């Protein structure tokens, strides 16, 4: 293969299959040559009780090693570490997403916001603090995120959104507040809300993972709705300032004031 050294080309690739027993726990996988030299970085392996291979659950608890790590992290970092754990799971279908992240059947099958709320809720429980999103309903759609962000008592700040409250179409219109307004920026753990086609074409909700200038990465539940081929996905975006033909931002953000 192009780009490989002669030594790399001479190596044999072996398929390794690990089978777990009935006990939960952890182990470290090592791959060493005859000289006892590591050929790969040691790999931590965890056997968990959850049938969907998640280390963080609200049904059978949190795998102990990860729980200790979460307790050391900030609330925002814990939210994202929990979301990342779900990405490595066996959650593959919308039905699993609706069930595991507790989307009420009356809300349909779009569980992206339910996933974002669940990650915040689990992190808040681990950290023993209040979840700033006191109800799941606040994140079930971009429209509901706007409604929550426009409340006078909201612990959130809308950035890159301009327009009416789409839940009521009444009251004062939200003035445009660019990123940096009043010192507020987009931070990991904030909520990204997506439009399609025009200013009132609301589509999707995700969790901001990383920000680097105008580029950012988000973690998505119901990622099929975000154009991914999987239920849960990490997606990179090259321009958070991209606009739609009518001049509205394709993505606006709900910055959490914590």
């Amino acid at each position: 293969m192009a780009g490989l050294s002669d030594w790399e080309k001479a190596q044999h690739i072996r398929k390794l299959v690990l089978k777990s027993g009935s006990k939960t726990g952890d182990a470290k996988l090592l791959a060493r040559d005859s000289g006892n030299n590591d050929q790969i970085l040691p790999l931590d392996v965890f056997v968990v009780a959850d049938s969907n291979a998640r280390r963080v659950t609200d049904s059978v608890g949190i795998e102990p090693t990860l729980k200790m790590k979460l307790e050391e992290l900030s609330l925002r970092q814990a939210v994202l570490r929990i979301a990342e754990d779900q990405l490595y799971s066996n959650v593959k279908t919308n039905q699993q997403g609706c069930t595991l992240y507790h989307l009420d059947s009356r809300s349909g099958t779009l569980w992206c916001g339910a996933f974002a709320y669940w990650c915040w809720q689990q992190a808040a429980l681990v950290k023993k603090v209040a979840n700033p999103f006191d109800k799941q309903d606040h994140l079930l759609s971009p429209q509901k995120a706007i409604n929550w962000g426009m409340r006078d008592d909201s612990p959130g700040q809308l950035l890159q959104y301009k327009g009416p409250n789409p839940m009521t179409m009444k009251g004062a219109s939200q003035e445009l507040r660019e990123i940096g307004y009043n010192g507020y920026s987009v931070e990991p753990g904030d909520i990204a809300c997506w439009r399609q086609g025009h200013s009132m074409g609301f589509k999707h909700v995700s969790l901001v993972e990383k920000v680097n200038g105008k580029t950012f990465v988000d973690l998505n539940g119901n990622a099929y709705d975000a154009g991914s081929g999987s239920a849960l996905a990490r997606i990179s975006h090259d321009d958070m300032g991209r606009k739609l033909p009518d001049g509205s931002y394709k993505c606006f953000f709900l910055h959490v004031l914590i």
Side-chain angles (χ1 to χ4, degrees):
M1 296 178 65
L4 297 180
S5 68
D6 290 339
W7 180 87
E8 289 169 331
K9 292 176 182 178
Q11 303 311 302
H12 297 285
I13 297 176
R14 299 176 178 85
K15 181 179 180 180
L16 181 64
V17 178
L18 301 179
K19 294 184 178 180
S20 67
S22 58
K23 294 183 178 180
T24 60
D26 62 271
K28 193 175 291 290
L29 176 66
L30 305 175
R32 291 174 172 167
D33 60 20
S34 57
N36 206 34
N37 300 303
D38 286 320
Q39 296 299 293
I40 64 169
L41 292 175
L43 178 66
D44 291 316
V45 178
F46 298 91
V47 179
V48 296
D50 180 60
S51 60
N52 293 296
R54 299 180 302 156
R55 295 173 70 191
V56 181
T57 77
D58 54 6
S59 56
V60 296
I62 303 176
E63 187 275 317
T65 303
L66 180 55
K67 185 177 181 181
M68 287 191 294
K69 178 63 176 177
L70 292 172
E71 291 171 343
E72 298 172 356
L73 298 176
S74 70
L75 178 59
R76 287 181 179 273
Q77 291 172 327
V79 170
L80 297 174
R81 183 62 188 85
I82 288 168
E84 183 182 41
D85 169 71
Q86 306 303 294
L87 264 64
Y88 300 142
S89 72
N90 289 332
V91 179
K92 306 296 182 185
T93 69
N94 283 336
Q95 183 56 57
Q96 285 176 295
C98 292
T99 300
L100 295 173
Y101 306 115
H102 311 301
L103 181 68
D104 192 299
S105 59
R106 293 171 294 181
S107 299
T109 59
L110 301 181
W111 51 278
C112 53
F115 171 75
Y117 173 82
W118 186 88
C119 294
W120 268 97
Q121 178 67 3
Q122 297 305 310
L125 290 172
V126 170
K127 301 295 293 180
K128 295 182 173 60
V129 298
N131 183 351
F133 303 103
D134 57 308
K135 295 180 181 179
Q136 183 196 69
D137 190 65
H138 299 323
L139 295 182
L140 290 186
S141 68
Q143 298 95 309
K144 292 184 175 183
I146 294 168
N147 180 68
W148 185 79
M150 289 181 68
R151 284 179 5 191
D152 291 338
D153 62 345
S154 173
Q157 175 63 65
L158 287 166
L159 299 172
Q160 294 196 166
Y161 177 76
K162 178 182 179 181
N165 184 334
M167 297 297 295
T168 64
M169 298 304 289
K170 297 179 181 179
S173 183
Q174 172 73 46
E175 65 181 37
L176 178 63
R177 293 173 176 174
E178 301 282 7
I179 295 171
Y181 164 81
N182 207 25
Y184 300 132
S185 59
V186 179
E187 297 183 37
D190 284 346
I191 306 301
C193 299
W194 296 88
R195 290 183 170 111
Q196 181 171 327
H198 56 87
S199 62
M200 301 300 283
F202 302 113
K203 183 182 180 183
H204 183 67
V205 171
S206 61
L207 283 167
V208 176
E209 182 186 29
K210 299 176 183 177
V211 180
N212 183 14
K214 285 293 185 179
T215 67
F216 74 102
V217 178
D218 62 357
L219 303 178
N220 297 259
N222 190 26
Y224 299 113
D225 195 47
S228 172
S230 59
L232 294 158
R234 173 183 279 112
I235 302 177
S236 299
H237 306 277
D238 60 8
D239 185 6
M240 64 170 56
R242 183 169 295 169
K243 293 186 176 181
L244 298 172
D246 65 2
S248 60
Y249 282 102
K250 182 176 181 180
C251 182
F252 59 93
F253 301 90
L254 185 57
H255 171 64
V256 187
L257 306 178
I258 57 170

